[in-house]
Amino acid sequence: MFLQKLPDIMMNTFSESIYCPNLACPEPRNTFGRQHCAACSTPLIYRHLWAVGPDVEEVPQGKTIGDRYLAIAPQIWLDSRPDLLPSVPEELPDAIMPYLHLYPQRLHLPEVYGFFQLGEAAQTFDVLLLENVPITTFGRLYPSILEAWSKTSAVRQVYWLWQMLQLWTPLSEQGVASSLLVPENLRVEGWRVRLLELHQGNFVPTLRDLGDVWSGLVESAQPQVKSRLGEICRFMRRSSMNFEAIVLELNDLLLEQAAQLPLHLDVFGMTDTGPQRSQNEDSCYPNAADFKFSKISGSDKLLPYLTIVCDGVGGHEGGEVASQLAVQSLKALIQNFLAEIAEQDELMIPTMVTKQLQEIVRVVNNVISAQNNEQGKELRERMGTTLVMALQLPQKIKVVSEDVRSNNGHELYLVNVGDSRAYWIAENSCQRLTVDDDVASREVRLGHSLYWESQRRSDAGALTQALGTRDGDFLQPTIQRFIVEDEGLLLLCSDGLSDNDWVEQSWESYGPAVLKGEMSLEVAVEYLINLGNEKNGYDNTSVVMTHCRMSPEKLILFQPTEESAPMSPSVSLQMSKPMSGSVSLKKSLSMPQTQPQSQLSESSKQLLYPETAPAEEPAQKQPGLQRLLPLLGLLAIVLVCGGLGLWVRSLQNSEPVPGQLPPPPENPSATPSELPSPSPELPPPPQSPSP
């Protein structure tokens, strides 16, 4: 029971009540330890905060502070009044600006919740309260990297260091890179590295300082990586070695270690109009039509690697067109990208992949923008779409060991624009991987307000960018890279499901069951579609879920011949050809005419297929000659306006192509016995026979 798992100090000394967050609750006071409000059944919030200040370590355990907070451990305070707003000074202090500017790194970094006046001085807020901190549901710190280091696998050891290296640049830009030099400040939650707080430091740290910290860890590293990590540390201590060289060395080691793990992937996706809408402006890949087409056609090289969710916005029925254009254009571009990368002899490095994905997204943006221009649409009339896309890059890794049976890349790239989201669900945890492109997030990133403050704005959820609303030069897609090194579920969804935190509230109802083989992927996706319709029925809902299994089954990458058996929604993967660094996309927009496509409404067809032949499109402004693919923008737009112009007219009779891909890394937290039961407000999860 949850009550029994709470620290004794909380049960024995906290005589105050825990208050219901529902402001309309008739009796908000609840006995401490309850999971749901006795009066209205609203889930109670146990928000654990990390207190930072000169005297916070002196606050005794069990003390109630300001009739609101309970000190349950050194610097760990529990907020018993989540119904009240925390205190915030009129002018935000400069000391918290790094937290705000680094909000996009919230997967690893804490956020500012509020302030508290612990001292006697009037108008002095001397305690900073941080949320989104590495503290378990039951008020305990996750282990430090020192505590967990010797007990974890070689690949995870390297992955933790890789994450630290990725944080080095953004933290250095904010003057808080010293935060990475304090091992007790570095906490690990499964695969993920998390920081307790940010340290300004009294000096400017260098890579040599970081190498010194790593050297202490290397002494107890796993044997298969100890020598290589030691060499990397020596490189970091040389002033002649630059940052990029260190990144490449560590990346090679990480990919080699991950490639020795087996990887088996299953995918399923659905989109639904919902009970209150007359048409579906969402599009996703793969969906039921894609799987049907795959069985008929017998091949779809995207199916193991690509998943997409797009939520159309703007203009009368324009969202439907924009989301479908985005999905179909992305499929064509990514298919060509994967085909060309498979022909390369060398690995494509992460920065190169990121740049090419940025260019691909900008090309797709300009496809939609060209349609807006052709229709003469301006401002709010311009159609657009959100995007969340996951691409598992199937590069073949050259592993020295002869014992390795499957040499397969475990890289996962996430791309997002707008507020469609990606989550990683493990047996004991659910983590949001993406940050919304909305006004609330922008205000935090610019240092104007705390996140909960910005959420109170009337325009908090308004999108700050979407595909197709402006020229691609102004688009800034967020691209993240993960390594698949443990079992879990990658969930992509539109806000028809994610609104009001229903993913966070419902994951325990299906996540562990799918991972244990007690519920099928299809049943879980259907359950989430129904949940979105029931709880957020005012919108369309799209869900694509990929189950990543670290199983010893033999994996198959591409079908060796065209005569191979048709692919099913469950696809096994194994790398075939080596791949590499620089890839052109000259043929990216040559799209097969047999690809499936869901039916458009008549008014959407009018948008997409005008009765009179469209005038020749002017060439779109290309992203810039200094970019990785200087001719990509020009080639793409020329092809879009010509070849794609013919293709879009065939959409009404075509069907979409299926796809499947691997997900990101896993992340254990509390043990299954510690997890609270699902909220009673959730519909009961469907039953599915074990496979």
Side-chain angles (χ1 to χ4, degrees):
M1 290 293 293
F2 177 73
L3 190 67
Q4 297 171 333
K5 294 292 181 181
L6 291 169
D8 291 340
I9 186 69
M10 297 165 65
M11 296 302 302
N12 297 334
T13 65
F14 195 28
S15 58
E16 301 294 328
S17 301
I18 184 83
Y19 278 70
C20 176
N22 178 11
L23 298 180
C25 180
E27 180 49 60
R29 294 167 63 96
N30 283 270
T31 304
F32 195 80
R34 290 187 61 91
Q35 293 185 66
H36 298 87
C37 178
C40 67
S41 297
T42 299
L44 298 177
I45 298 174
Y46 288 83
R47 179 180 285 114
H48 294 96
L49 305 168
W50 182 250
V52 180
D55 300 316
V56 290
E57 294 186 25
E58 306 302 321
V59 177
Q61 264 184 303
K63 181 178 180 179
T64 303
I65 306 124
D67 297 324
R68 174 170 184 172
Y69 301 105
L70 169 68
I72 63 173
Q75 294 187 253
I76 299 178
W77 293 7
L78 177 72
D79 185 4
S80 70
R81 295 299 305 267
D83 56 315
L84 300 178
L85 298 176
S87 298
V88 178
E90 291 185 8
E91 184 174 345
L92 294 176
D94 292 340
I96 71 164
M97 287 300 135
Y99 289 99
L100 305 185
H101 296 321
L102 289 167
Y103 179 76
Q105 303 291 337
R106 66 182 302 277
L107 190 62
H108 304 283
L109 305 183
E111 303 166 45
V112 176
Y113 178 65
F115 300 81
F116 185 79
Q117 181 182 337
L118 191 61
E120 299 296 331
Q123 304 300 319
T124 299
F125 294 90
D126 50 5
V127 176
L128 173 64
L129 299 175
L130 301 175
E131 62 176 337
N132 186 34
V133 284
I135 299 175
T136 70
T137 309
F138 315 108
R140 304 183 185 98
L141 285 173
Y142 281 103
S144 71
I145 194 169
L146 281 177
E147 294 175 81
W149 180 261
S150 61
K151 306 170 189 175
T152 197
S153 66
V155 62
R156 185 164 286 183
Q157 287 178 342
V158 182
Y159 193 27
W160 285 344
L161 298 183
W162 168 265
Q163 292 174 61
M164 292 173 63
L165 208 56
Q166 297 308 294
L167 289 170
W168 180 258
T169 297
L171 267 62
S172 295
E173 291 171 350
Q174 296 298 322
V176 291
S178 297
S179 309
L180 297 170
L181 305 181
V182 184
E184 281 300 309
N185 193 50
L186 299 167
R187 301 282 158 168
V188 288
E189 182 188 358
W191 63 271
R192 177 168 58 148
V193 172
R194 304 182 66 182
L195 274 63
L196 266 175
E197 59 184 274
L198 298 179
H199 296 284
Q200 296 281 354
N202 53 11
F203 71 103
V204 178
T206 65
L207 272 180
R208 179 169 186 166
D209 298 312
L210 186 61
D212 290 339
V213 173
W214 285 14
S215 295
L217 295 171
V218 170
E219 292 301 318
S220 56
Q222 296 294 344
Q224 56 267 51
V225 296
K226 184 174 181 178
S227 176
R228 291 278 298 279
L229 287 178
E231 185 178 354
I232 290 172
C233 287
R234 288 190 290 274
F235 288 158
M236 296 172 73
R237 290 166 161 177
R238 297 177 186 171
S239 58
S240 59
M241 294 297 293
N242 61 28
F243 181 78
E244 289 73 20
I246 302 298
V247 170
L248 291 178
E249 287 291 330
L250 192 61
N251 182 63
D252 287 346
L253 179 58
L254 177 58
L255 292 181
E256 288 176 13
Q257 291 300 311
Q260 299 179 52
L261 301 173
L263 181 63
H264 185 86
L265 304 162
D266 305 298
V267 66
F268 192 78
M270 289 181 64
T271 184
D272 190 82
T273 303
Q276 298 181 28
R277 293 288 186 95
S278 60
Q279 66 185 45
N280 193 352
E281 295 188 352
D282 284 5
S283 294
C284 71
Y285 178 80
N287 59 30
D290 296 313
F291 293 129
K292 180 179 179 181
F293 177 79
S294 176
K295 292 179 180 178
I296 295 173
S297 67
S299 67
D300 180 358
K301 294 180 180 180
L302 291 177
L303 193 55
Y305 312 110
L306 181 68
T307 53
I308 305 171
V309 167
C310 288
D311 183 354
V313 296
H316 178 58
E317 309 216 8
E320 181 183 14
V321 174
S323 64
Q324 292 196 21
L325 270 177
V327 169
Q328 294 300 335
S329 301
L330 283 166
K331 287 162 59 179
L333 289 158
I334 295 297
Q335 181 165 312
N336 190 72
F337 179 53
L338 290 180
E340 294 196 22
I341 202 174
E343 297 175 358
Q344 307 302 316
D345 295 326
E346 300 296 332
L347 290 178
M348 176 175 280
I349 61 176
T351 53
M352 189 77 73
V353 176
T354 296
K355 288 179 180 178
Q356 295 211 25
L357 289 176
Q358 288 173 340
E359 296 302 332
I360 287 172
V361 173
R362 289 191 175 104
V363 168
V364 174
N365 176 88
N366 288 343
V367 170
I368 302 169
S369 182
Q371 289 292 322
N372 279 319
N373 295 339
E374 181 179 323
Q375 298 294 326
K377 295 188 176 297
E378 300 291 341
L379 301 175
R380 292 182 180 273
E381 291 184 348
R382 291 177 71 84
M383 64 180 177
T385 182
T386 69
L387 166 68
V388 59
M389 177 178 77
L391 174 66
Q392 195 275 329
L393 201 61
Q395 301 199 75
K396 184 173 181 179
I397 313 301
K398 298 176 182 178
V399 181
V400 176
S401 173
E402 296 181 357
D403 298 329
V404 178
R405 296 182 178 180
S406 59
N407 299 347
N408 56 310
H410 286 227
E411 297 172 277
L412 176 81
Y413 287 85
L414 276 183
V415 182
N416 72 285
V417 176
D419 62 357
S420 294
R421 293 181 176 178
Y423 295 84
W424 179 253
I425 299 170
E427 187 172 344
N428 301 315
S429 63
C430 173
Q431 301 159 355
R432 176 154 64 98
L433 303 177
T434 53
V435 174
D436 297 341
D437 289 321
D438 59 13
V439 169
S441 299
R442 182 197 65 191
E443 292 302 290
V444 179
R445 190 177 67 253
L446 294 177
H448 295 165
S449 65
L450 308 186
Y451 185 65
W452 64 262
E453 288 183 301
S454 63
Q455 283 186 307
R456 294 166 60 83
R457 295 173 52 123
S458 59
D459 61 348
L463 297 181
T464 54
Q465 62 174 356
L467 291 184
T469 56
R470 296 193 296 174
D471 185 85
D473 281 351
F474 299 99
L475 189 70
Q476 297 295 327
T478 299
I479 301 177
Q480 302 176 82
R481 182 219 194 199
F482 300 90
I483 296 297
V484 186
E485 50 89 73
D486 213 339
E487 182 156 356
L489 303 173
L490 175 66
L491 171 65
L492 307 185
C493 66
S494 61
D495 59 356
L497 173 63
S498 63
D499 272 359
N500 302 308
D501 298 328
W502 281 110
V503 174
E504 289 87 343
Q505 295 185 48
S506 67
W507 68 272
E508 292 172 281
S509 300
Y510 58 88
V514 173
L515 293 171
K516 293 176 182 177
E518 299 169 354
M519 180 186 295
S520 71
L521 207 58
E522 293 86 345
V523 170
V525 170
E526 290 173 358
Y527 168 65
L528 288 175
I529 292 289
N530 293 333
L531 180 67
N533 286 342
E534 179 181 340
K535 301 297 183 180
N536 299 326
Y538 47 80
D539 203 353
N540 315 133
T541 300
S542 295
V543 176
V544 180
M545 186 183 292
T546 306
H547 182 188
C548 173
R549 292 187 284 131
M550 311 307 290
S551 70
E553 301 175 38
K554 185 175 181 180
L555 311 177
I556 301 173
L557 174 57
F558 294 123
Q559 301 296 332
T561 64
E562 294 184 359
E563 290 77 22
S564 299
M567 300 170 76
S568 70
S570 297
V571 180
S572 301
L573 312 182
Q574 177 177 326
M575 306 303 130
S576 56
K577 296 182 180 180
M579 14 220 127
S580 158
S582 169
V583 178
S584 69
L585 297 178
K586 296 178 181 178
K587 302 178 182 178
S588 299
L589 293 173
S590 55
M591 307 187 70
Q593 298 299 310
T594 57
Q595 292 185 344
Q597 174 66 29
S598 58
Q599 287 296 319
L600 295 172
S601 63
E602 290 302 318
S603 51
S604 292
K605 292 175 184 177
Q606 293 295 322
L607 268 178
L608 205 49
Y609 324 125
E611 293 181 4
T612 58
E616 183 178 354
E617 289 282 343
Q620 297 289 325
K621 181 181 178 182
Q622 70 176 27
L625 294 177
Q626 73 275 21
R627 297 192 191 279
L628 174 67
L629 304 175
L631 296 180
L632 177 60
L634 182 61
L635 280 171
I637 298 306
V638 170
L639 289 171
V640 165
C641 300
L644 188 60
L646 297 174
W647 167 74
V648 274
R649 286 168 172 73
S650 70
L651 283 181
Q652 42 196 330
N653 297 319
S654 60
E655 300 180 1
V657 180
Q660 172 182 1
L661 85 118
E666 191 250 357
N667 141 44
S669 56
T671 61
S673 63
E674 291 180 316
L675 290 170
S677 58
S679 165
E681 291 192 8
L682 293 173
Q687 300 299 315
S688 172
S690 300

Coordinates of all heavy atoms in Angstrom, one line a residue, residues 80-129:
S80 N 2.2 20.4 1.3 CA 0.9 19.9 1.7 C -0.2 20.7 1.1 O -1.4 20.3 1.3 CB 0.8 19.8 3.2 OG 0.7 21.1 3.7
R81 N 0.1 21.8 0.5 CA -1.0 22.7 0.0 C -0.9 22.9 -1.5 O -0.6 24.1 -2.0 CB -1.0 24.1 0.7 CG -1.3 24.0 2.2 CD -2.7 23.4 2.5 NE -3.7 24.2 1.8 CZ -4.4 25.2 2.3 NH1 -4.1 25.6 3.6 NH2 -5.4 25.8 1.7
P82 N -1.0 21.9 -2.3 CA -0.9 22.1 -3.8 C -2.0 22.9 -4.4 O -2.0 23.2 -5.5 CB -0.9 20.6 -4.3 CG -1.6 19.8 -3.3 CD -1.2 20.5 -2.0
D83 N -3.0 23.2 -3.5 CA -4.1 24.0 -4.0 C -3.7 25.5 -3.9 O -4.5 26.4 -4.5 CB -5.4 23.8 -3.1 CG -5.1 24.1 -1.6 OD1 -4.0 23.6 -1.1 OD2 -5.9 24.7 -0.9
L84 N -2.6 25.8 -3.3 CA -2.2 27.2 -3.2 C -1.0 27.5 -4.1 O -0.1 26.6 -4.3 CB -1.8 27.6 -1.8 CG -2.8 27.4 -0.7 CD1 -2.2 27.8 0.7 CD2 -4.0 28.3 -1.0
L85 N -0.9 28.7 -4.6 CA 0.3 29.0 -5.5 C 1.5 29.3 -4.6 O 1.3 29.8 -3.5 CB 0.0 30.3 -6.3 CG -1.2 30.2 -7.3 CD1 -1.4 31.5 -8.0 CD2 -0.9 29.1 -8.3
P86 N 2.7 28.9 -5.0 CA 3.9 29.2 -4.2 C 4.2 30.7 -4.3 O 3.7 31.4 -5.1 CB 5.0 28.4 -4.9 CG 4.5 28.2 -6.3 CD 3.0 28.2 -6.2
S87 N 5.1 31.1 -3.3 CA 5.5 32.5 -3.3 C 6.5 32.8 -4.4 O 7.4 32.0 -4.6 CB 6.1 32.9 -1.9 OG 5.1 32.7 -0.9
V88 N 6.4 34.0 -5.1 CA 7.3 34.4 -6.1 C 7.5 35.9 -6.0 O 6.6 36.6 -5.9 CB 6.8 34.0 -7.5 CG1 7.8 34.5 -8.6 CG2 6.6 32.5 -7.6
P89 N 8.8 36.4 -5.9 CA 9.0 37.8 -5.9 C 8.5 38.5 -7.2 O 8.4 37.9 -8.2 CB 10.5 37.9 -5.7 CG 11.1 36.7 -6.2 CD 10.0 35.6 -6.0
E90 N 8.2 39.8 -7.0 CA 7.7 40.5 -8.2 C 8.7 40.5 -9.3 O 8.3 40.4 -10.5 CB 7.4 42.0 -7.8 CG 6.2 42.1 -6.9 CD 5.9 43.6 -6.6 OE1 6.4 44.4 -7.2 OE2 5.0 43.8 -5.7
E91 N 10.0 40.6 -9.0 CA 11.0 40.6 -10.0 C 11.8 39.3 -9.8 O 12.4 39.1 -8.8 CB 11.9 41.8 -10.0 CG 12.9 41.9 -11.1 CD 13.7 43.2 -11.1 OE1 13.3 44.1 -10.4 OE2 14.8 43.2 -11.7
L92 N 11.9 38.5 -10.8 CA 12.6 37.2 -10.7 C 14.1 37.5 -10.6 O 14.7 38.3 -11.3 CB 12.4 36.3 -11.9 CG 10.9 35.8 -12.1 CD1 10.8 35.0 -13.4 CD2 10.5 35.0 -10.9
P93 N 14.8 36.9 -9.6 CA 16.2 37.1 -9.4 C 17.0 36.5 -10.5 O 16.7 35.5 -11.1 CB 16.5 36.4 -8.1 CG 15.4 35.4 -7.9 CD 14.2 35.9 -8.6
D94 N 18.2 37.2 -10.8 CA 19.1 36.7 -11.8 C 19.6 35.3 -11.6 O 19.9 34.6 -12.5 CB 20.3 37.7 -12.0 CG 19.9 39.0 -12.5 OD1 18.8 39.1 -13.1 OD2 20.6 40.0 -12.3
A95 N 19.7 34.9 -10.3 CA 20.2 33.6 -10.0 C 19.5 32.5 -10.6 O 20.0 31.4 -10.8 CB 20.3 33.5 -8.5
I96 N 18.2 32.7 -10.9 CA 17.4 31.5 -11.4 C 17.3 31.5 -12.9 O 16.7 30.6 -13.5 CB 15.9 31.5 -10.8 CG1 15.1 32.7 -11.3 CG2 16.0 31.5 -9.3 CD1 13.6 32.5 -11.1
M97 N 17.9 32.5 -13.6 CA 17.8 32.6 -15.0 C 18.3 31.4 -15.7 O 17.7 30.9 -16.7 CB 18.5 33.9 -15.5 CG 17.7 35.2 -15.2 SD 16.0 35.1 -16.0 CE 15.0 35.7 -14.6
P98 N 19.4 30.8 -15.3 CA 19.9 29.6 -15.9 C 18.8 28.5 -15.9 O 18.7 27.7 -16.9 CB 21.1 29.1 -15.1 CG 21.6 30.4 -14.6 CD 20.4 31.2 -14.3
Y99 N 18.1 28.3 -14.8 CA 17.0 27.3 -14.8 C 15.9 27.6 -15.9 O 15.5 26.7 -16.5 CB 16.3 27.3 -13.4 CG 17.1 26.8 -12.3 CD1 17.8 27.6 -11.4 CD2 17.2 25.4 -12.1 CE1 18.6 27.1 -10.4 CE2 18.0 24.9 -11.0 CZ 18.6 25.8 -10.2 OH 19.4 25.3 -9.1
L100 N 15.6 28.9 -16.0 CA 14.6 29.2 -17.0 C 15.1 29.0 -18.4 O 14.4 28.4 -19.3 CB 14.1 30.6 -16.8 CG 13.6 31.0 -15.4 CD1 13.0 32.4 -15.3 CD2 12.5 30.0 -14.9
H101 N 16.3 29.5 -18.7 CA 16.8 29.4 -20.1 C 17.0 28.0 -20.5 O 17.0 27.7 -21.7 CB 18.1 30.2 -20.2 CG 17.9 31.7 -20.0 ND1 16.8 32.4 -20.4 CD2 18.7 32.6 -19.3 CE1 16.9 33.7 -20.1 NE2 18.1 33.8 -19.4
L102 N 17.3 27.1 -19.5 CA 17.6 25.7 -19.8 C 16.3 24.9 -19.7 O 16.4 23.6 -19.7 CB 18.6 25.2 -18.8 CG 20.0 25.8 -19.1 CD1 20.9 25.4 -17.9 CD2 20.6 25.2 -20.3
Y103 N 15.1 25.5 -19.7 CA 13.9 24.7 -19.7 C 13.8 23.6 -20.7 O 13.3 22.5 -20.5 CB 12.7 25.6 -19.8 CG 11.4 24.9 -19.7 CD1 10.9 24.4 -18.5 CD2 10.6 24.7 -20.9 CE1 9.7 23.7 -18.5 CE2 9.4 24.1 -20.9 CZ 8.9 23.5 -19.7 OH 7.7 22.9 -19.7
P104 N 14.3 23.8 -22.0 CA 14.2 22.7 -23.0 C 15.0 21.5 -22.5 O 14.8 20.4 -23.1 CB 14.9 23.4 -24.2 CG 14.6 24.8 -24.1 CD 14.8 25.1 -22.6
Q105 N 15.9 21.6 -21.5 CA 16.6 20.4 -21.0 C 15.9 19.8 -19.8 O 16.6 19.1 -19.0 CB 18.0 20.8 -20.6 CG 18.8 21.5 -21.7 CD 19.2 20.5 -22.9 OE1 19.2 19.3 -22.7 NE2 19.5 21.1 -24.0
R106 N 14.6 20.0 -19.7 CA 13.9 19.5 -18.5 C 13.9 18.0 -18.3 O 13.6 17.5 -17.2 CB 12.5 20.0 -18.5 CG 11.6 19.4 -19.6 CD 10.2 20.0 -19.6 NE 9.5 19.7 -18.4 CZ 8.9 18.6 -18.0 NH1 8.9 17.6 -18.8 NH2 8.3 18.5 -16.8
L107 N 14.3 17.3 -19.3 CA 14.4 15.8 -19.1 C 15.5 15.5 -18.1 O 15.5 14.5 -17.4 CB 14.7 15.2 -20.5 CG 14.7 13.6 -20.5 CD1 13.3 13.1 -20.2 CD2 15.1 13.1 -21.9
H108 N 16.5 16.4 -18.0 CA 17.7 16.2 -17.2 C 17.8 17.2 -16.0 O 18.5 16.9 -15.0 CB 19.0 16.3 -18.0 CG 19.0 15.3 -19.1 ND1 19.3 14.0 -19.0 CD2 18.8 15.5 -20.5 CE1 19.2 13.4 -20.2 NE2 19.0 14.3 -21.1
L109 N 17.2 18.4 -16.1 CA 17.4 19.4 -15.2 C 16.1 19.8 -14.4 O 15.0 19.6 -14.9 CB 17.8 20.7 -15.9 CG 19.1 20.6 -16.8 CD1 19.5 21.9 -17.4 CD2 20.3 20.0 -16.1
P110 N 16.3 20.3 -13.2 CA 15.1 20.7 -12.4 C 14.5 22.0 -12.9 O 15.1 22.7 -13.7 CB 15.7 20.8 -11.0 CG 17.1 21.2 -11.2 CD 17.5 20.5 -12.5
E111 N 13.3 22.3 -12.3 CA 12.7 23.6 -12.7 C 12.4 24.3 -11.4 O 12.2 23.8 -10.3 CB 11.4 23.3 -13.4 CG 11.6 22.5 -14.7 CD 10.2 21.9 -15.2 OE1 9.3 22.7 -15.3 OE2 10.2 20.7 -15.6
V112 N 12.2 25.7 -11.5 CA 11.9 26.5 -10.3 C 10.4 26.4 -10.1 O 9.6 26.7 -10.9 CB 12.3 28.0 -10.6 CG1 11.9 28.8 -9.4 CG2 13.8 28.0 -10.8
Y113 N 10.1 26.1 -8.8 CA 8.7 26.0 -8.4 C 8.3 27.3 -7.6 O 7.2 27.8 -7.9 CB 8.5 24.8 -7.5 CG 7.1 24.6 -6.9 CD1 6.0 24.4 -7.8 CD2 6.9 24.7 -5.5 CE1 4.8 24.2 -7.3 CE2 5.6 24.6 -5.0 CZ 4.5 24.3 -5.9 OH 3.3 24.2 -5.4
G114 N 9.1 27.8 -6.8 CA 8.8 29.0 -6.0 C 9.9 29.3 -5.0 O 11.0 28.8 -5.1
F115 N 9.6 30.1 -4.1 CA 10.5 30.6 -3.1 C 9.9 30.6 -1.7 O 8.6 30.5 -1.6 CB 10.9 32.1 -3.4 CG 11.6 32.2 -4.7 CD1 10.8 32.3 -5.9 CD2 13.0 32.3 -4.8 CE1 11.4 32.5 -7.1 CE2 13.6 32.4 -6.1 CZ 12.8 32.5 -7.2
F116 N 10.7 30.6 -0.7 CA 10.2 30.7 0.7 C 11.1 31.5 1.6 O 12.4 31.5 1.4 CB 10.1 29.2 1.3 CG 9.5 29.2 2.7 CD1 8.1 29.3 2.8 CD2 10.3 29.1 3.8 CE1 7.6 29.3 4.1 CE2 9.7 29.1 5.1 CZ 8.3 29.2 5.2
Q117 N 10.5 32.3 2.5 CA 11.3 33.1 3.4 C 11.6 32.4 4.7 O 10.7 32.3 5.5 CB 10.5 34.4 3.7 CG 11.2 35.4 4.6 CD 10.4 36.6 4.9 OE1 9.5 37.0 4.1 NE2 10.7 37.3 6.0
L118 N 12.8 31.9 4.8 CA 13.1 31.1 6.0 C 13.7 32.0 7.0 O 13.6 31.7 8.2 CB 14.1 30.0 5.6 CG 14.4 28.9 6.6 CD1 13.2 28.2 7.0 CD2 15.5 28.0 6.1
G119 N 14.4 33.0 6.6 CA 15.0 33.9 7.6 C 14.1 35.0 8.1 O 12.9 35.0 7.8
E120 N 14.6 35.9 8.9 CA 13.8 36.9 9.6 C 13.6 38.2 8.7 O 12.7 38.9 8.9 CB 14.4 37.3 10.9 CG 14.6 36.1 11.9 CD 13.2 35.6 12.3 OE1 12.2 36.4 12.3 OE2 13.1 34.4 12.6
A121 N 14.5 38.4 7.8 CA 14.5 39.6 7.0 C 13.2 39.7 6.2 O 12.8 38.8 5.5 CB 15.7 39.7 6.1
A122 N 12.6 40.9 6.3 CA 11.3 41.1 5.5 C 11.6 41.1 4.0 O 12.7 41.6 3.6 CB 10.7 42.4 6.0
Q123 N 10.7 40.6 3.3 CA 10.7 40.6 1.8 C 12.0 39.9 1.3 O 12.4 40.1 0.2 CB 10.8 42.0 1.3 CG 9.6 42.9 1.7 CD 8.3 42.3 1.3 OE1 8.1 41.8 0.2 NE2 7.3 42.3 2.2
T124 N 12.5 38.9 2.1 CA 13.6 38.2 1.6 C 13.2 36.7 1.4 O 12.8 36.0 2.3 CB 14.8 38.2 2.7 OG1 15.2 39.5 2.9 CG2 16.0 37.4 2.2
F125 N 13.4 36.3 0.2 CA 13.1 34.9 -0.2 C 14.4 34.2 -0.3 O 15.1 34.2 -1.3 CB 12.3 34.8 -1.5 CG 10.9 35.5 -1.4 CD1 10.8 36.8 -1.7 CD2 9.9 34.7 -1.0 CE1 9.5 37.4 -1.6 CE2 8.6 35.3 -1.0 CZ 8.4 36.6 -1.3
D126 N 14.8 33.6 0.8 CA 16.2 33.0 0.8 C 16.2 31.5 0.5 O 17.3 31.0 0.5 CB 16.8 33.3 2.2 CG 15.9 32.9 3.4 OD1 14.9 32.3 3.1 OD2 16.4 33.2 4.5
V127 N 15.1 30.9 0.3 CA 15.0 29.5 -0.1 C 14.4 29.3 -1.5 O 13.3 29.8 -1.7 CB 14.2 28.6 0.9 CG1 14.1 27.2 0.5 CG2 14.9 28.7 2.3
L128 N 15.2 28.7 -2.3 CA 14.7 28.4 -3.7 C 14.1 27.0 -3.7 O 14.8 26.0 -3.2 CB 15.8 28.5 -4.7 CG 15.6 28.1 -6.1 CD1 14.5 28.9 -6.8 CD2 16.9 28.1 -6.9
L129 N 12.9 26.8 -4.1 CA 12.3 25.5 -4.2 C 12.2 25.0 -5.6 O 11.7 25.6 -6.5 CB 10.9 25.6 -3.6 CG 10.8 26.0 -2.1 CD1 9.3 26.2 -1.7 CD2 11.5 25.0 -1.2

